[in-house]
Amino acid sequence: MAMMLTISASPFTRIDSGFRHRHVGKVLCSLDGGDSSILAYDSVNVNTDPVIVEKNKYTSLVNGGNGHVSSLAREKVQKKKEADEELEVLWDDGYGTVTMKDYLDVAKEMIKPDGGPARWFSPVECGRPLKDSPLLLFLPGMDGIGLGLIMHHKALGRAFEVRGLHIPINDRTPFEGLVKLVEKTVRSEHASSPNKPIYLVGDSFGGCLALAIAARNPSIDLVLILVNPATSLERSPLRPFFPLLEAMPDELHTAVPYLLSFVMGEPVKMAMVNVDPFPTSQMFRNLSDNLVGLLPRLSVLGDIIPKDALIWKLKLLRSAAAFANSRLHAVKAEVLVLASGKDNLLPSGDEARRLSSKLENCEIREFKDNGHTFLLEDGLSLLSIIKGACKYRRSRKLNYVSDYLPPSMSEYIRSFDRAYGLLRFLTSPVTFSTLSDGTIVPGLDGVPTEGPVLYVGYHMLMGMELANLVAEFLRQKRIICRGLAHPQLFEPGEAAGSEFSFFDYTRLFGAVPVSSKHMFDLLAADSHVLLYPGGAREALHRKGEQYTLFWPEQPEFVRMAARFGATVVPFGVVGEDDLMELLLDYDDQMRIPILNEYWRQKSKEFPRLRENMKGEVGNQDLFLPGIAPKVPGRFYYLFGKPIETKGKKEILKDKQKAKEMYLHVKSEVQSCLNYLIEKREQDPCRNIVDRTIYRAYSAPAHNVPTFST
């Protein structure tokens, strides 16, 4: 017998059993391969809430034109398999493949009147999320379409179950009604999965809606991502012009969308989404083409916000801002505010700081070059921002190991080719590894591929080696090294106000707060773990102490590695003395009264590590050294011969054997340092001038020759 699925649909509809290119209507999908029919629109509710789902605008998964669902059983199996799979390192998140032009093209279809109410839809591009992924509800801005995340759908769709709120242009539901609609869904989802967080991404007007939901539901685990929230509407520089917009004749209103497009967003940032900045000549050509292609589509904005809708939405905005501001004291949710520095519609930077002072648990990130339409402009993907801020979790408490999502290819490119591209250019890193027979070879061929692996090595000044080390493992081996880092890097206020700081990048690429529990969990998960026994004392060493190891006497990591049969790989890295000169170390600064008082006060705020340890390793004081740049030399990395602990369970009980292995690892690290210090003198391209000349005529950065092993 045929089983039928009934669901209200929009012009962009995804139905789990198949797809159909039609306009609005009730879709009856035969799950046994029978014909599907489209009937006249009739309000149909799923769990009492209107729900729509979005159709892929490019392809149909229906065989021919008869509406038969193709290979349904096979498709279901494949989707289930995809849902259960873990993300690969350097996975394709699709960021940069969808642009503002796509948004306007899809919006043109979605705004066609259908007589339906405000409802949810699930974008097809999101695909199937990973197992146990949390729900993400997108609450749109003034446009109400719900496509504000279109550039982020594919990435977010792997980490979340994504739904967008669609408010038709002719819908006149008051703000309180929209609050109840969203609240009903939030409470229903919380009842079905009480241990999972629910994410509310509120864009402008949607930010007010998200705050209202959080204020009314303080006991529900909500994570709010507020993008230029409209709570600052009363301080908008355009507020004096709102009455003029309402009184403007219809003949002149056609110009309003064009004016708004330049006020609300940064056209160049919109056009740069899929443009590679290098080479420069090609960048300008692609940027010009994108701008030319974008301008004719701006007329769609007039259809998205016709005059009567604009007047209504301005009233709705005022109501939303007043409602949200009056209830900020009741918001208990975790909040991340994303503010644009060039927001010409709202004072978003100031508002982010105001919200941070008003809300209990609020962090902010400011993006100085973006406009009001931040989510539709070039920059970092929203998922990257969420991950970098440590806001992604699948349960009530963040688990740094199980909740971690590996970096995507776009994150790798934006991080190491752009953010840290200059450092890589200046230092031109060279890596060597050691095979099981002791032979030293270029590259990372001697490094084990299968985990668990524990990399134990020397920490250069200020951890300058980290970016290149992580990048080389990703480039050569597609391995993510999970670094055990100082807990201060994970304090909420460390990256506050910055665009995407060093702290965010550190967390994005797998760092976790150093602790025995996190090390245990990482090794248990067969991870590749990066450990610096010297810690902050080694990374913030004094003058003349470069390449000196400050390790504790206790064999801290050996027994943990043996418990899991992990392979220990000692390594050394040199080059800091070829990049900078240490002018003011900790001892120097303690002799300057102002700096002495400053760092002593700051030290009271920092987490304290190894306080009870004797010797220099116990001096884990954090400070910012004074440095001066040099003509850049080069960074050299050598990974020693892997040391197996598998089958050596006796180390767990025999303290002497554990001590012997610990000292062996330490001596291997020192040997790696000594080898590199000696051999770099034979590098014909140690100087940046020689490398630059070679690059100009011969090879990319990672192929510049070095000394022979």
Side-chain angles (χ1 to χ4, degrees):
M1 186 174 83
M3 180 169 64
M4 309 298 290
L5 171 67
T6 305
I7 190 166
S8 63
S10 83
F12 300 93
T13 302
R14 182 187 80 193
I15 305 221
D16 286 346
S17 58
F19 298 79
R20 192 156 174 92
H21 289 266
R22 293 291 182 92
H23 293 293
V24 175
K26 184 191 295 181
V27 180
L28 303 178
C29 294
S30 171
L31 299 186
D32 66 350
D35 288 341
S36 299
S37 305
I38 294 185
L39 307 181
Y41 180 86
D42 185 16
S43 180
V44 177
N45 292 341
V46 179
N47 293 330
T48 73
D49 287 333
V51 177
I52 64 174
V53 285
E54 185 184 36
K55 179 193 71 175
N56 188 326
K57 68 168 184 163
Y58 300 110
T59 57
S60 171
L61 298 187
V62 179
N63 279 335
N66 60 6
H68 289 189
V69 178
S70 61
S71 307
L72 178 63
R74 185 166 62 253
E75 183 182 334
K76 280 189 172 182
V77 170
Q78 178 62 27
K79 286 184 176 180
K80 184 178 187 306
K81 181 180 178 182
E82 291 176 359
D84 292 338
E85 287 178 352
E86 291 297 321
L87 289 177
E88 295 182 353
V89 175
L90 302 186
W91 57 287
D92 177 16
D93 64 5
Y95 186 70
T97 59
V98 179
T99 68
M100 184 65 175
K101 291 188 290 185
D102 297 298
Y103 166 81
L104 294 172
D105 289 342
V106 179
K108 186 176 182 180
E109 295 298 322
M110 285 195 71
I111 62 176
K112 292 178 179 178
D114 57 27
R119 66 263 196 187
W120 300 104
F121 69 98
S122 297
V124 156
E125 307 90 76
C126 291
R128 291 279 177 157
L130 298 171
K131 185 179 180 182
D132 296 326
S133 293
L135 174 68
L136 184 150
L137 301 176
F138 176 65
L139 310 178
M142 278 186 63
D143 64 298
I145 299 173
L147 288 174
L149 294 179
I150 191 169
M151 297 181 185
H152 311 267
H153 280 162
K154 186 173 180 180
L156 291 173
R158 296 311 312 273
F160 298 96
E161 179 190 338
V162 180
R163 298 182 202 167
L165 179 63
H166 176 65
I167 307 172
I169 57 174
N170 295 323
D171 183 81
R172 296 296 180 263
T173 304
F175 183 71
E176 291 78 2
L178 294 174
V179 169
K180 290 179 180 178
L181 185 152
V182 177
E183 186 176 65
K184 194 171 189 178
T185 300
V186 167
R187 290 179 176 177
S188 173
E189 292 294 334
H190 174 68
S192 63
S193 301
N195 295 320
K196 281 187 183 181
I198 297 174
Y199 286 72
L200 301 180
V201 177
D203 183 14
S204 189
F205 164 77
C208 298
L209 190 52
L211 286 167
I213 299 301
R216 288 164 58 99
N217 299 273
S219 62
I220 296 180
D221 185 11
L222 298 174
V223 180
L224 273 53
I225 313 295
L226 308 180
V227 184
N228 298 322
T231 45
S232 61
L233 181 68
E234 291 303 308
R235 304 194 307 280
S236 170
L238 298 183
R239 186 173 178 273
F241 298 98
F242 290 167
L244 297 178
L245 291 174
E246 296 177 8
M248 184 177 290
D250 294 341
E251 297 79 20
L252 297 178
H253 181 77
T254 54
V256 171
Y258 292 93
L259 296 175
L260 286 178
S261 67
F262 288 96
V263 171
M264 296 179 68
E266 284 291 308
V268 174
K269 294 287 284 185
M270 292 178 180
M272 279 291 294
V273 170
N274 62 344
V275 176
D276 195 310
F278 302 104
T280 306
S281 58
Q282 184 65 39
M283 179 200 72
F284 283 115
R285 190 177 303 113
N286 293 340
L287 177 60
S288 175
D289 292 343
N290 283 356
L291 285 171
V292 170
L294 183 61
L295 290 175
R297 291 173 167 85
L298 293 180
S299 60
V300 176
L301 294 175
D303 300 324
I304 293 176
I305 311 179
K307 182 180 178 181
D308 58 337
L310 178 61
I311 294 173
W312 164 256
K313 289 185 178 183
L314 286 175
K315 294 178 180 178
L316 195 64
L317 264 178
R318 294 191 190 101
S319 174
F323 190 102
N325 281 316
S326 67
R327 291 163 173 79
L328 291 179
H329 64 279
V331 175
K332 309 298 180 186
E334 192 175 351
V335 181
L336 176 63
V337 182
L338 310 181
S340 296
K342 292 185 178 180
D343 188 344
N344 298 316
L345 184 63
L346 298 169
S348 293
D350 292 339
E351 181 63 6
R353 288 182 283 276
R354 184 183 79 91
L355 290 175
S356 179
S357 67
K358 294 283 187 181
L359 301 175
E360 289 184 6
N361 185 7
C362 179
E363 290 187 56
I364 63 175
R365 297 291 186 275
E366 293 188 53
F367 299 84
K368 56 182 174 55
D369 294 324
N370 287 88
H372 185 71
T373 53
F374 170 78
L375 295 172
L376 295 172
E377 298 173 10
D378 183 45
L380 287 162
S381 79
L382 181 59
L383 181 60
S384 301
I385 296 170
I386 292 172
K387 289 160 58 180
C390 281
K391 297 298 181 187
Y392 182 76
R393 53 188 171 88
R394 297 182 177 98
S395 58
R396 284 193 170 272
K397 186 176 181 181
L398 172 65
N399 185 311
Y400 284 99
V401 178
S402 61
D403 287 335
Y404 179 70
L405 300 177
S408 66
M409 180 58 77
S410 76
E411 289 170 341
Y412 172 85
I413 292 172
R414 287 177 178 272
S415 299
F416 298 115
D417 287 0
R418 300 184 187 180
Y420 288 95
L422 178 60
L423 177 64
R424 289 176 60 76
F425 173 80
L426 293 176
T427 59
S428 189
V430 184
T431 57
F432 300 92
S433 58
T434 309
L435 302 178
S436 57
D437 62 1
T439 303
I440 296 176
V441 296
L444 298 175
D445 290 343
V447 171
T449 301
E450 300 298 325
V453 180
L454 182 62
Y455 302 94
V456 183
Y458 168 72
H459 221 350
M460 282 208 302
L461 184 64
M462 300 172 64
M464 287 185 295
E465 80 285 353
L466 281 168
N468 287 330
L469 187 152
V470 173
E472 287 303 304
F473 267 84
L474 288 170
R475 185 180 69 83
Q476 297 186 43
K477 305 279 286 187
R478 287 191 173 237
I479 288 174
I480 181 69
C481 290
R482 305 294 307 274
L484 294 164
H486 197 286
Q488 186 61 27
L489 298 181
F490 300 85
E491 289 297 311
E494 283 303 310
S498 62
E499 186 160 318
F500 201 77
S501 70
F502 164 78
F503 304 98
D504 291 316
Y505 280 111
T506 299
R507 298 182 291 226
L508 179 65
F509 285 91
V512 303
V514 61
S515 72
S516 56
K517 180 185 183 304
H518 289 146
M519 184 174 173
F520 181 98
D521 292 343
L522 287 169
L523 293 176
D526 292 339
S527 302
H528 289 246
V529 185
L530 182 60
L531 174 67
Y532 293 101
R537 178 61 182 86
E538 204 166 85
L540 298 173
H541 60 71
R542 303 346 178 210
K543 293 177 182 176
E545 293 180 347
Q546 63 268 25
Y547 313 129
T548 301
L549 301 179
F550 292 94
W551 287 24
E553 295 181 3
Q554 303 91 324
E556 294 179 319
F557 58 84
V558 170
R559 279 187 279 186
M560 184 84 75
R563 176 167 186 165
F564 293 97
T567 303
V568 178
V569 179
F571 73 91
V573 53
V574 303
E576 64 176 82
D577 53 342
D578 273 353
L579 187 65
M580 63 183 64
E581 183 76 28
L582 180 57
L583 300 180
L584 284 175
D585 63 15
Y586 183 79
D587 296 335
D588 294 329
Q589 296 189 36
M590 290 302 100
R591 287 191 285 268
I592 302 174
I594 296 177
L595 293 178
N596 184 309
E597 179 62 23
Y598 176 80
W599 287 119
R600 288 191 182 280
Q601 289 298 322
K602 291 295 289 184
S603 66
K604 296 177 182 178
E605 305 171 12
F606 298 148
R608 303 294 297 178
L609 302 177
R610 294 174 168 173
E611 284 188 290
N612 299 323
M613 288 191 178
K614 298 178 180 180
E616 281 298 315
V617 74
N619 298 328
Q620 296 284 321
D621 299 288
L622 301 183
F623 73 102
L624 188 64
I627 57 175
K630 289 183 176 181
V631 176
R634 201 170 192 180
F635 281 4
Y636 304 86
Y637 299 77
L638 172 59
F639 293 86
K641 183 178 177 180
I643 301 170
E644 299 289 344
T645 66
K646 193 172 183 179
K648 297 181 179 179
K649 295 289 186 181
E650 67 275 7
I651 294 176
L652 296 174
K653 298 180 180 179
D654 193 326
K655 291 184 179 181
Q656 183 58 35
K657 288 190 176 181
K659 181 74 172 180
E660 289 174 1
M661 177 171 282
Y662 180 76
L663 294 175
H664 174 58
V665 174
K666 184 178 181 180
S667 68
E668 286 296 302
V669 172
Q670 189 64 62
S671 296
C672 290
L673 291 171
N674 295 340
Y675 177 88
L676 292 174
I677 291 170
E678 177 185 350
K679 295 292 287 186
R680 69 175 174 174
E681 300 295 335
Q682 305 171 19
D683 186 357
C685 293
R686 180 179 175 183
N687 186 280
I688 190 172
V689 176
D690 297 323
R691 293 198 302 274
T692 303
I693 294 173
Y694 187 87
R695 286 192 191 109
Y697 293 98
S698 302
H702 59 269
N703 285 336
V704 176
T706 184
F707 57 78
S708 300
T709 58

